[in-house]
Amino acid sequence: MAGTLSFAPDDRCNAFITTCDAAPYGDGKLSGVAVAVKDNISTCGIQTTCGSRILAGYVPPYDAHVVSLLRGEGAAIVGKTNMDEFGMGTTTETSGYGPTLNPVDQTRVPGGSSGGSAAAVAAGLVPMALGTDTGGSIRCPAAFCGIVGLKPTYGRVSRYGLVAYANSLEQIGPMARSVGEVSRLMEVISSYDSRDSTSFDRPYTHQPSADIESLRIGLPQEYFGEGVDPRVAETVRSAIGRLEDLGAETVPCAIPSMAYALAAYYVICTSEASSNLARFDGVRYGPPAPTQKQWHEAFQEVRGEHFGKEVRRRIMLGTFALSAGYYGKYYGKAQVARRNVRQDFERVLGEVDVIAGPTMPTVAFRLGEKSDPLSMYLSDILTVPANLAGVPAISVPCGTVDGLPVGLQLIGRHFAEEQIIDAAYAYEQEGSA
Amino acid sequence: MVSEIEIESIAKLADIDLARDEVAGFTREFNAILEYFDALDQVSGEETLTPELTNVFREDEPGGCLPQEDVLANAGSTEDGFVKAPRVM
């Protein structure tokens, strides 16, 4: 049944940048289901800003592959969600359209960078949403808002039409209030796309099962050590204890490359950003560059004025890391570090089926709490390794500390979303009872 | 350690305007982050190609493309079906 869905949410958390008050939908697996889409995913005819003032008013002339798939299965695209500018942040506070508030506690951030998607789902404005995850941007807000979020294996979901920030790390993924809904959305968005040369033909078609008898779960010491709030670690340990009650077996393990994974991540993502964001110059889209001025002067002006601080900082860090004389010290080393991270995960995941730990080292921060950029970067320590290794990871709610949600993170082998989804489903169905 | 002068020069290389009163803060935060990046000094080994990965190419055949008016719709300044850019000289 095709039709039009009217959508007028009470958006007191500022989850949306753009809403569509009459959203068309069609037939299919998601017929008439309201789906919110993160604002860095291109939607034909609907403004797409990436949370940046430099793309205010930009209306894409084409759909991202995932959006075509959603429309093809009948979903109603009801709006574009708020995010850290170009995905650069862990709180959604760097958005050029004001911060999103956490629906669980409005004095707290929802996490980021897909904070709008997480808040829209957690507040019940939509049943499901798409986010993107470059270094934790789906899992962090899922954990902070108490919902489920999946970062798929690199290559399992097409990035065509995703406005690039750090191509080698980022993936589009599903967010919803239950594992079953995340699984349902994943089934729709995972499909081969020749327009993304990193796309794999490994569609996801899976019915979640709570049978985790003899599942081997690795517990890396680094995920429960220094820097992790002991109450968060305890909450996650007790959730893993429930998985043991359900028949899983736990094994201690180590990921020594965690010592430098975060540094490698920030070198790589800023380097890629410095190249990707060169296209925002006010010529083909965005606020117009003053054409009567000299080339560089005009670009510096439009980019200085419309990029926020964090975006400018990351472009500059990447420009520096790639510059002559520093390449070997930063980018070259970061690539070797990345290989080590990947090998650590492959080694551990050869011995166990899934790796478990907290998604975030703490519960949601207060608004304005992370004013120092490095302290914000450090909070990504438990999520970036999965992006460096390209493996899938899911965050599922597993309790609260001080009334704020805690996420259990489950990391799996390449293309083994089915296994982490089953483990998350088992916890959701049986463990939290 | 990078100096304020180097920060201004990096900003210029990246085509980013920094306000004069932002330079000191950017320099301080930049140096704290670079100090953290020193964690990479403990990484040994050389960059190598990943043999299991291959490039994905396609035949160089023309495909469909967007109509000109759609492509130009978002440009701030156009003339005779072209986007207009700032002066080069």
mmCIF file of all heavy atoms in Angstrom, chain A residues 311-357:
data_model
loop_
_atom_site.group_PDB
_atom_site.id
_atom_site.type_symbol
_atom_site.label_atom_id
_atom_site.label_comp_id
_atom_site.label_asym_id
_atom_site.label_seq_id
_atom_site.Cartn_x
_atom_site.Cartn_y
_atom_site.Cartn_z
ATOM 1 N N VAL A 311 36.104 21.041 12.827
ATOM 2 C CA VAL A 311 36.374 20.664 11.435
ATOM 3 C C VAL A 311 37.668 21.324 10.959
ATOM 4 O O VAL A 311 38.529 20.682 10.350
ATOM 5 C CB VAL A 311 35.184 21.048 10.528
ATOM 6 C CG1 VAL A 311 35.540 20.896 9.059
ATOM 7 C CG2 VAL A 311 33.980 20.174 10.865
ATOM 8 N N ARG A 312 37.836 22.598 11.275
ATOM 9 C CA ARG A 312 39.075 23.273 10.868
ATOM 10 C C ARG A 312 40.280 22.620 11.544
ATOM 11 O O ARG A 312 41.320 22.413 10.925
ATOM 12 C CB ARG A 312 38.987 24.767 11.202
ATOM 13 C CG ARG A 312 38.043 25.510 10.250
ATOM 14 C CD ARG A 312 37.997 26.995 10.523
ATOM 15 N NE ARG A 312 37.280 27.279 11.764
ATOM 16 C CZ ARG A 312 37.528 28.313 12.557
ATOM 17 N NH1 ARG A 312 38.481 29.162 12.265
ATOM 18 N NH2 ARG A 312 36.819 28.498 13.638
ATOM 19 N N ARG A 313 40.131 22.273 12.823
ATOM 20 C CA ARG A 313 41.234 21.634 13.545
ATOM 21 C C ARG A 313 41.618 20.322 12.873
ATOM 22 O O ARG A 313 42.789 20.024 12.660
ATOM 23 C CB ARG A 313 40.833 21.390 15.002
ATOM 24 C CG ARG A 313 41.920 20.736 15.835
ATOM 25 C CD ARG A 313 41.466 20.522 17.271
ATOM 26 N NE ARG A 313 41.162 21.783 17.923
ATOM 27 C CZ ARG A 313 39.957 22.154 18.344
ATOM 28 N NH1 ARG A 313 38.929 21.341 18.212
ATOM 29 N NH2 ARG A 313 39.758 23.323 18.907
ATOM 30 N N ARG A 314 40.621 19.510 12.526
ATOM 31 C CA ARG A 314 40.949 18.187 11.954
ATOM 32 C C ARG A 314 41.538 18.323 10.555
ATOM 33 O O ARG A 314 42.435 17.564 10.184
ATOM 34 C CB ARG A 314 39.714 17.282 11.959
ATOM 35 C CG ARG A 314 39.345 16.895 13.371
ATOM 36 C CD ARG A 314 38.440 15.687 13.448
ATOM 37 N NE ARG A 314 37.852 15.606 14.781
ATOM 38 C CZ ARG A 314 37.133 14.585 15.219
ATOM 39 N NH1 ARG A 314 36.907 13.552 14.449
ATOM 40 N NH2 ARG A 314 36.641 14.587 16.438
ATOM 41 N N ILE A 315 41.034 19.254 9.763
ATOM 42 C CA ILE A 315 41.623 19.462 8.434
ATOM 43 C C ILE A 315 43.094 19.879 8.598
ATOM 44 O O ILE A 315 43.977 19.386 7.896
ATOM 45 C CB ILE A 315 40.837 20.538 7.649
ATOM 46 C CG1 ILE A 315 39.445 20.022 7.294
ATOM 47 C CG2 ILE A 315 41.601 20.944 6.377
ATOM 48 C CD1 ILE A 315 38.533 21.074 6.660
ATOM 49 N N MET A 316 43.344 20.743 9.564
ATOM 50 C CA MET A 316 44.718 21.203 9.780
ATOM 51 C C MET A 316 45.609 20.090 10.305
ATOM 52 O O MET A 316 46.763 19.950 9.884
ATOM 53 C CB MET A 316 44.722 22.397 10.734
ATOM 54 C CG MET A 316 44.198 23.670 10.067
ATOM 55 S SD MET A 316 43.939 25.012 11.232
ATOM 56 C CE MET A 316 45.580 25.192 11.925
ATOM 57 N N LEU A 317 45.091 19.262 11.223
ATOM 58 C CA LEU A 317 45.887 18.131 11.723
ATOM 59 C C LEU A 317 46.259 17.200 10.583
ATOM 60 O O LEU A 317 47.399 16.730 10.485
ATOM 61 C CB LEU A 317 45.094 17.342 12.782
ATOM 62 C CG LEU A 317 45.109 17.893 14.204
ATOM 63 C CD1 LEU A 317 44.027 17.205 15.033
ATOM 64 C CD2 LEU A 317 46.478 17.715 14.863
ATOM 65 N N GLY A 318 45.297 16.925 9.707
ATOM 66 C CA GLY A 318 45.559 16.035 8.580
ATOM 67 C C GLY A 318 46.532 16.652 7.595
ATOM 68 O O GLY A 318 47.428 15.970 7.079
ATOM 69 N N THR A 319 46.377 17.932 7.356
ATOM 70 C CA THR A 319 47.290 18.633 6.448
ATOM 71 C C THR A 319 48.711 18.542 6.997
ATOM 72 O O THR A 319 49.664 18.264 6.263
ATOM 73 C CB THR A 319 46.864 20.121 6.335
ATOM 74 O OG1 THR A 319 45.522 20.164 5.872
ATOM 75 C CG2 THR A 319 47.760 20.889 5.375
ATOM 76 N N PHE A 320 48.838 18.714 8.308
ATOM 77 C CA PHE A 320 50.148 18.644 8.961
ATOM 78 C C PHE A 320 50.714 17.216 8.892
ATOM 79 O O PHE A 320 51.877 17.005 8.530
ATOM 80 C CB PHE A 320 50.012 19.098 10.416
ATOM 81 C CG PHE A 320 51.284 19.026 11.205
ATOM 82 C CD1 PHE A 320 52.302 19.955 10.990
ATOM 83 C CD2 PHE A 320 51.480 18.035 12.158
ATOM 84 C CE1 PHE A 320 53.486 19.895 11.712
ATOM 85 C CE2 PHE A 320 52.661 17.966 12.880
ATOM 86 C CZ PHE A 320 53.666 18.896 12.663
ATOM 87 N N ALA A 321 49.865 16.214 9.228
ATOM 88 C CA ALA A 321 50.344 14.823 9.278
ATOM 89 C C ALA A 321 50.818 14.336 7.910
ATOM 90 O O ALA A 321 51.664 13.450 7.826
ATOM 91 C CB ALA A 321 49.242 13.910 9.808
ATOM 92 N N LEU A 322 50.270 14.909 6.857
ATOM 93 C CA LEU A 322 50.652 14.463 5.502
ATOM 94 C C LEU A 322 51.754 15.332 4.903
ATOM 95 O O LEU A 322 52.208 15.062 3.803
ATOM 96 C CB LEU A 322 49.423 14.508 4.582
ATOM 97 C CG LEU A 322 48.322 13.494 4.872
ATOM 98 C CD1 LEU A 322 47.112 13.758 3.978
ATOM 99 C CD2 LEU A 322 48.810 12.066 4.675
ATOM 100 N N SER A 323 52.178 16.363 5.615
ATOM 101 C CA SER A 323 53.109 17.302 4.991
ATOM 102 C C SER A 323 54.534 16.732 4.959
ATOM 103 O O SER A 323 54.885 15.859 5.750
ATOM 104 C CB SER A 323 53.055 18.660 5.692
ATOM 105 O OG SER A 323 53.440 18.526 7.040
ATOM 106 N N ALA A 324 55.304 17.236 4.033
ATOM 107 C CA ALA A 324 56.666 16.745 3.818
ATOM 108 C C ALA A 324 57.441 16.796 5.130
ATOM 109 O O ALA A 324 57.365 17.763 5.873
ATOM 110 C CB ALA A 324 57.356 17.599 2.763
ATOM 111 N N GLY A 325 58.168 15.721 5.426
ATOM 112 C CA GLY A 325 58.967 15.687 6.645
ATOM 113 C C GLY A 325 58.240 15.059 7.825
ATOM 114 O O GLY A 325 58.870 14.615 8.774
ATOM 115 N N TYR A 326 56.911 15.003 7.776
ATOM 116 C CA TYR A 326 56.143 14.432 8.882
ATOM 117 C C TYR A 326 55.379 13.174 8.487
ATOM 118 O O TYR A 326 54.881 12.453 9.326
ATOM 119 C CB TYR A 326 55.154 15.466 9.447
ATOM 120 C CG TYR A 326 55.834 16.621 10.120
ATOM 121 C CD1 TYR A 326 55.950 17.854 9.491
ATOM 122 C CD2 TYR A 326 56.394 16.470 11.387
ATOM 123 C CE1 TYR A 326 56.589 18.915 10.108
ATOM 124 C CE2 TYR A 326 57.038 17.520 12.005
ATOM 125 C CZ TYR A 326 57.140 18.743 11.362
ATOM 126 O OH TYR A 326 57.773 19.780 11.975
ATOM 127 N N TYR A 327 55.298 12.902 7.198
ATOM 128 C CA TYR A 327 54.520 11.769 6.701
ATOM 129 C C TYR A 327 54.918 10.463 7.390
ATOM 130 O O TYR A 327 54.082 9.709 7.884
ATOM 131 C CB TYR A 327 54.692 11.660 5.175
ATOM 132 C CG TYR A 327 54.007 10.452 4.591
ATOM 133 C CD1 TYR A 327 52.697 10.532 4.119
ATOM 134 C CD2 TYR A 327 54.655 9.217 4.532
ATOM 135 C CE1 TYR A 327 52.070 9.428 3.595
ATOM 136 C CE2 TYR A 327 54.029 8.101 4.024
ATOM 137 C CZ TYR A 327 52.737 8.203 3.550
ATOM 138 O OH TYR A 327 52.108 7.101 3.045
ATOM 139 N N GLY A 328 56.248 10.201 7.414
ATOM 140 C CA GLY A 328 56.731 8.936 8.000
ATOM 141 C C GLY A 328 56.413 8.833 9.477
ATOM 142 O O GLY A 328 56.030 7.771 9.964
ATOM 143 N N LYS A 329 56.550 9.934 10.188
ATOM 144 C CA LYS A 329 56.334 9.933 11.642
ATOM 145 C C LYS A 329 54.864 9.714 11.989
ATOM 146 O O LYS A 329 54.560 9.071 12.992
ATOM 147 C CB LYS A 329 56.824 11.261 12.239
ATOM 148 C CG LYS A 329 56.606 11.384 13.740
ATOM 149 C CD LYS A 329 57.312 12.624 14.293
ATOM 150 C CE LYS A 329 56.868 13.000 15.702
ATOM 151 N NZ LYS A 329 57.098 11.966 16.711
ATOM 152 N N TYR A 330 53.979 10.255 11.175
ATOM 153 C CA TYR A 330 52.556 10.156 11.512
ATOM 154 C C TYR A 330 51.796 9.182 10.599
ATOM 155 O O TYR A 330 51.436 8.091 11.024
ATOM 156 C CB TYR A 330 51.908 11.550 11.479
ATOM 157 C CG TYR A 330 52.463 12.473 12.529
ATOM 158 C CD1 TYR A 330 53.204 13.601 12.168
ATOM 159 C CD2 TYR A 330 52.280 12.211 13.885
ATOM 160 C CE1 TYR A 330 53.730 14.451 13.144
ATOM 161 C CE2 TYR A 330 52.806 13.056 14.856
ATOM 162 C CZ TYR A 330 53.521 14.167 14.481
ATOM 163 O OH TYR A 330 54.034 14.989 15.444
ATOM 164 N N TYR A 331 51.586 9.533 9.350
ATOM 165 C CA TYR A 331 50.715 8.715 8.499
ATOM 166 C C TYR A 331 51.301 7.319 8.260
ATOM 167 O O TYR A 331 50.600 6.311 8.353
ATOM 168 C CB TYR A 331 50.450 9.436 7.168
ATOM 169 C CG TYR A 331 49.341 8.791 6.375
ATOM 170 C CD1 TYR A 331 48.007 8.990 6.720
ATOM 171 C CD2 TYR A 331 49.638 7.946 5.310
ATOM 172 C CE1 TYR A 331 46.988 8.387 6.007
ATOM 173 C CE2 TYR A 331 48.621 7.338 4.594
ATOM 174 C CZ TYR A 331 47.301 7.557 4.943
ATOM 175 O OH TYR A 331 46.302 6.954 4.243
ATOM 176 N N GLY A 332 52.606 7.279 7.955
ATOM 177 C CA GLY A 332 53.250 5.984 7.704
ATOM 178 C C GLY A 332 53.137 5.062 8.909
ATOM 179 O O GLY A 332 52.739 3.904 8.801
ATOM 180 N N LYS A 333 53.469 5.600 10.089
ATOM 181 C CA LYS A 333 53.383 4.808 11.331
ATOM 182 C C LYS A 333 51.937 4.384 11.602
ATOM 183 O O LYS A 333 51.674 3.275 12.078
ATOM 184 C CB LYS A 333 53.877 5.645 12.518
ATOM 185 C CG LYS A 333 55.381 5.783 12.585
ATOM 186 C CD LYS A 333 56.029 4.524 13.131
ATOM 187 C CE LYS A 333 57.523 4.768 13.332
ATOM 188 N NZ LYS A 333 58.255 3.497 13.449
ATOM 189 N N ALA A 334 51.003 5.283 11.338
ATOM 190 C CA ALA A 334 49.597 4.989 11.618
ATOM 191 C C ALA A 334 49.108 3.820 10.759
ATOM 192 O O ALA A 334 48.315 2.990 11.205
ATOM 193 C CB ALA A 334 48.730 6.224 11.387
ATOM 194 N N GLN A 335 49.610 3.730 9.532
ATOM 195 C CA GLN A 335 49.213 2.611 8.664
ATOM 196 C C GLN A 335 49.756 1.288 9.193
ATOM 197 O O GLN A 335 49.081 0.252 9.134
ATOM 198 C CB GLN A 335 49.675 2.855 7.223
ATOM 199 C CG GLN A 335 48.960 3.992 6.519
ATOM 200 C CD GLN A 335 47.447 3.782 6.393
ATOM 201 O OE1 GLN A 335 46.936 2.681 6.549
ATOM 202 N NE2 GLN A 335 46.732 4.852 6.133
ATOM 203 N N VAL A 336 50.988 1.312 9.697
ATOM 204 C CA VAL A 336 51.557 0.097 10.294
ATOM 205 C C VAL A 336 50.764 -0.270 11.552
ATOM 206 O O VAL A 336 50.398 -1.430 11.775
ATOM 207 C CB VAL A 336 53.051 0.302 10.644
ATOM 208 C CG1 VAL A 336 53.624 -0.959 11.294
ATOM 209 C CG2 VAL A 336 53.849 0.663 9.389
ATOM 210 N N ALA A 337 50.458 0.748 12.359
ATOM 211 C CA ALA A 337 49.675 0.528 13.579
ATOM 212 C C ALA A 337 48.323 -0.089 13.236
ATOM 213 O O ALA A 337 47.851 -1.015 13.899
ATOM 214 C CB ALA A 337 49.473 1.852 14.312
ATOM 215 N N ARG A 338 47.726 0.408 12.165
ATOM 216 C CA ARG A 338 46.422 -0.100 11.754
ATOM 217 C C ARG A 338 46.508 -1.580 11.379
ATOM 218 O O ARG A 338 45.631 -2.371 11.736
ATOM 219 C CB ARG A 338 45.919 0.719 10.560
ATOM 220 C CG ARG A 338 44.597 0.234 10.064
ATOM 221 C CD ARG A 338 44.082 1.081 8.929
ATOM 222 N NE ARG A 338 42.700 0.718 8.696
ATOM 223 C CZ ARG A 338 41.845 1.423 7.992
ATOM 224 N NH1 ARG A 338 42.217 2.545 7.426
ATOM 225 N NH2 ARG A 338 40.612 1.021 7.827
ATOM 226 N N ARG A 339 47.574 -1.936 10.676
ATOM 227 C CA ARG A 339 47.764 -3.348 10.320
ATOM 228 C C ARG A 339 47.898 -4.188 11.584
ATOM 229 O O ARG A 339 47.330 -5.276 11.696
ATOM 230 C CB ARG A 339 49.023 -3.471 9.445
ATOM 231 C CG ARG A 339 49.245 -4.867 8.889
ATOM 232 C CD ARG A 339 50.588 -4.949 8.172
ATOM 233 N NE ARG A 339 51.689 -4.735 9.100
ATOM 234 C CZ ARG A 339 52.901 -4.297 8.745
ATOM 235 N NH1 ARG A 339 53.162 -3.980 7.486
ATOM 236 N NH2 ARG A 339 53.851 -4.160 9.635
ATOM 237 N N ASN A 340 48.627 -3.673 12.576
ATOM 238 C CA ASN A 340 48.785 -4.414 13.829
ATOM 239 C C ASN A 340 47.448 -4.601 14.545
ATOM 240 O O ASN A 340 47.181 -5.658 15.118
ATOM 241 C CB ASN A 340 49.757 -3.679 14.764
ATOM 242 C CG ASN A 340 51.173 -3.647 14.200
ATOM 243 O OD1 ASN A 340 51.480 -4.337 13.227
ATOM 244 N ND2 ASN A 340 52.034 -2.828 14.788
ATOM 245 N N VAL A 341 46.623 -3.575 14.528
ATOM 246 C CA VAL A 341 45.301 -3.666 15.171
ATOM 247 C C VAL A 341 44.490 -4.762 14.477
ATOM 248 O O VAL A 341 43.890 -5.633 15.114
ATOM 249 C CB VAL A 341 44.545 -2.320 15.108
ATOM 250 C CG1 VAL A 341 43.103 -2.484 15.575
ATOM 251 C CG2 VAL A 341 45.259 -1.252 15.935
ATOM 252 N N ARG A 342 44.499 -4.721 13.151
ATOM 253 C CA ARG A 342 43.746 -5.705 12.384
ATOM 254 C C ARG A 342 44.249 -7.122 12.696
ATOM 255 O O ARG A 342 43.452 -8.046 12.916
ATOM 256 C CB ARG A 342 43.914 -5.396 10.895
ATOM 257 C CG ARG A 342 43.054 -6.236 9.997
ATOM 258 C CD ARG A 342 43.415 -5.986 8.535
ATOM 259 N NE ARG A 342 42.929 -7.103 7.744
ATOM 260 C CZ ARG A 342 41.966 -6.990 6.844
ATOM 261 N NH1 ARG A 342 41.412 -5.840 6.608
ATOM 262 N NH2 ARG A 342 41.561 -8.055 6.179
ATOM 263 N N GLN A 343 45.568 -7.271 12.768
ATOM 264 C CA GLN A 343 46.131 -8.601 13.061
ATOM 265 C C GLN A 343 45.795 -9.045 14.473
ATOM 266 O O GLN A 343 45.527 -10.228 14.707
ATOM 267 C CB GLN A 343 47.647 -8.588 12.824
ATOM 268 C CG GLN A 343 47.981 -8.580 11.339
ATOM 269 C CD GLN A 343 49.465 -8.387 11.048
ATOM 270 O OE1 GLN A 343 50.238 -8.067 11.942
ATOM 271 N NE2 GLN A 343 49.843 -8.577 9.788
ATOM 272 N N ASP A 344 45.808 -8.108 15.428
ATOM 273 C CA ASP A 344 45.413 -8.458 16.799
ATOM 274 C C ASP A 344 43.983 -9.003 16.822
ATOM 275 O O ASP A 344 43.697 -10.015 17.470
ATOM 276 C CB ASP A 344 45.485 -7.225 17.711
ATOM 277 C CG ASP A 344 46.881 -7.018 18.306
ATOM 278 O OD1 ASP A 344 47.753 -7.882 18.077
ATOM 279 O OD2 ASP A 344 47.087 -5.996 18.987
ATOM 280 N N PHE A 345 43.094 -8.309 16.126
ATOM 281 C CA PHE A 345 41.691 -8.754 16.109
ATOM 282 C C PHE A 345 41.557 -10.095 15.408
ATOM 283 O O PHE A 345 40.827 -10.981 15.863
ATOM 284 C CB PHE A 345 40.784 -7.697 15.466
ATOM 285 C CG PHE A 345 40.295 -6.685 16.450
ATOM 286 C CD1 PHE A 345 41.036 -5.536 16.711
ATOM 287 C CD2 PHE A 345 39.123 -6.875 17.161
ATOM 288 C CE1 PHE A 345 40.607 -4.600 17.647
ATOM 289 C CE2 PHE A 345 38.680 -5.951 18.096
ATOM 290 C CZ PHE A 345 39.433 -4.803 18.341
ATOM 291 N N GLU A 346 42.272 -10.278 14.300
ATOM 292 C CA GLU A 346 42.169 -11.551 13.582
ATOM 293 C C GLU A 346 42.695 -12.704 14.441
ATOM 294 O O GLU A 346 42.128 -13.795 14.444
ATOM 295 C CB GLU A 346 42.916 -11.459 12.242
ATOM 296 C CG GLU A 346 42.107 -10.668 11.227
ATOM 297 C CD GLU A 346 42.851 -10.353 9.935
ATOM 298 O OE1 GLU A 346 44.089 -10.534 9.892
ATOM 299 O OE2 GLU A 346 42.195 -9.903 8.986
ATOM 300 N N ARG A 347 43.773 -12.430 15.179
ATOM 301 C CA ARG A 347 44.339 -13.468 16.047
ATOM 302 C C ARG A 347 43.331 -13.832 17.145
ATOM 303 O O ARG A 347 42.986 -15.002 17.322
ATOM 304 C CB ARG A 347 45.647 -12.952 16.676
ATOM 305 C CG ARG A 347 46.256 -13.881 17.708
ATOM 306 C CD ARG A 347 47.555 -13.296 18.298
ATOM 307 N NE ARG A 347 47.424 -11.921 18.761
ATOM 308 C CZ ARG A 347 46.848 -11.563 19.907
ATOM 309 N NH1 ARG A 347 46.343 -12.469 20.716
ATOM 310 N NH2 ARG A 347 46.745 -10.278 20.240
ATOM 311 N N VAL A 348 42.815 -12.810 17.845
ATOM 312 C CA VAL A 348 41.878 -13.088 18.941
ATOM 313 C C VAL A 348 40.603 -13.741 18.398
ATOM 314 O O VAL A 348 40.094 -14.710 18.984
ATOM 315 C CB VAL A 348 41.550 -11.796 19.723
ATOM 316 C CG1 VAL A 348 40.428 -12.042 20.712
ATOM 317 C CG2 VAL A 348 42.795 -11.285 20.442
ATOM 318 N N LEU A 349 40.118 -13.250 17.266
ATOM 319 C CA LEU A 349 38.869 -13.800 16.717
ATOM 320 C C LEU A 349 39.090 -15.154 16.029
ATOM 321 O O LEU A 349 38.139 -15.768 15.557
ATOM 322 C CB LEU A 349 38.218 -12.792 15.763
ATOM 323 C CG LEU A 349 37.591 -11.575 16.476
ATOM 324 C CD1 LEU A 349 37.273 -10.467 15.486
ATOM 325 C CD2 LEU A 349 36.326 -11.966 17.246
ATOM 326 N N GLY A 350 40.341 -15.599 15.994
ATOM 327 C CA GLY A 350 40.608 -16.980 15.588
ATOM 328 C C GLY A 350 40.398 -17.928 16.768
ATOM 329 O O GLY A 350 40.127 -19.107 16.601
ATOM 330 N N GLU A 351 40.513 -17.361 17.978
ATOM 331 C CA GLU A 351 40.394 -18.188 19.189
ATOM 332 C C GLU A 351 39.010 -18.098 19.825
ATOM 333 O O GLU A 351 38.592 -19.010 20.530
ATOM 334 C CB GLU A 351 41.459 -17.754 20.213
ATOM 335 C CG GLU A 351 42.882 -18.073 19.749
ATOM 336 C CD GLU A 351 43.934 -17.197 20.440
ATOM 337 O OE1 GLU A 351 43.585 -16.512 21.424
ATOM 338 O OE2 GLU A 351 45.086 -17.199 19.970
ATOM 339 N N VAL A 352 38.342 -16.964 19.615
ATOM 340 C CA VAL A 352 36.992 -16.785 20.180
ATOM 341 C C VAL A 352 36.040 -16.387 19.060
ATOM 342 O O VAL A 352 36.472 -16.004 17.970
ATOM 343 C CB VAL A 352 36.975 -15.716 21.305
ATOM 344 C CG1 VAL A 352 37.909 -16.085 22.438
ATOM 345 C CG2 VAL A 352 37.298 -14.336 20.748
ATOM 346 N N ASP A 353 34.736 -16.447 19.337
ATOM 347 C CA ASP A 353 33.747 -16.087 18.316
ATOM 348 C C ASP A 353 33.463 -14.590 18.294
ATOM 349 O O ASP A 353 33.320 -14.004 17.236
ATOM 350 C CB ASP A 353 32.437 -16.841 18.569
ATOM 351 C CG ASP A 353 32.623 -18.343 18.495
ATOM 352 O OD1 ASP A 353 33.174 -18.813 17.480
ATOM 353 O OD2 ASP A 353 32.248 -19.041 19.462
ATOM 354 N N VAL A 354 33.344 -14.023 19.479
ATOM 355 C CA VAL A 354 33.084 -12.582 19.573
ATOM 356 C C VAL A 354 33.924 -12.004 20.702
ATOM 357 O O VAL A 354 34.367 -12.719 21.600
ATOM 358 C CB VAL A 354 31.587 -12.240 19.819
ATOM 359 C CG1 VAL A 354 30.687 -12.827 18.759
ATOM 360 C CG2 VAL A 354 31.138 -12.676 21.194
ATOM 361 N N ILE A 355 34.155 -10.678 20.617
ATOM 362 C CA ILE A 355 34.868 -9.967 21.670
ATOM 363 C C ILE A 355 33.844 -9.061 22.345
ATOM 364 O O ILE A 355 33.017 -8.438 21.670
ATOM 365 C CB ILE A 355 36.007 -9.130 21.058
ATOM 366 C CG1 ILE A 355 37.093 -10.063 20.499
ATOM 367 C CG2 ILE A 355 36.590 -8.147 22.075
ATOM 368 C CD1 ILE A 355 38.143 -9.348 19.665
ATOM 369 N N ALA A 356 33.881 -9.003 23.674
ATOM 370 C CA ALA A 356 32.899 -8.182 24.384
ATOM 371 C C ALA A 356 33.577 -7.202 25.321
ATOM 372 O O ALA A 356 34.642 -7.489 25.880
ATOM 373 C CB ALA A 356 31.936 -9.071 25.173
ATOM 374 N N GLY A 357 32.953 -6.058 25.489
ATOM 375 C CA GLY A 357 33.443 -5.044 26.418
ATOM 376 C C GLY A 357 32.451 -3.903 26.444
ATOM 377 O O GLY A 357 31.412 -3.954 25.780
#
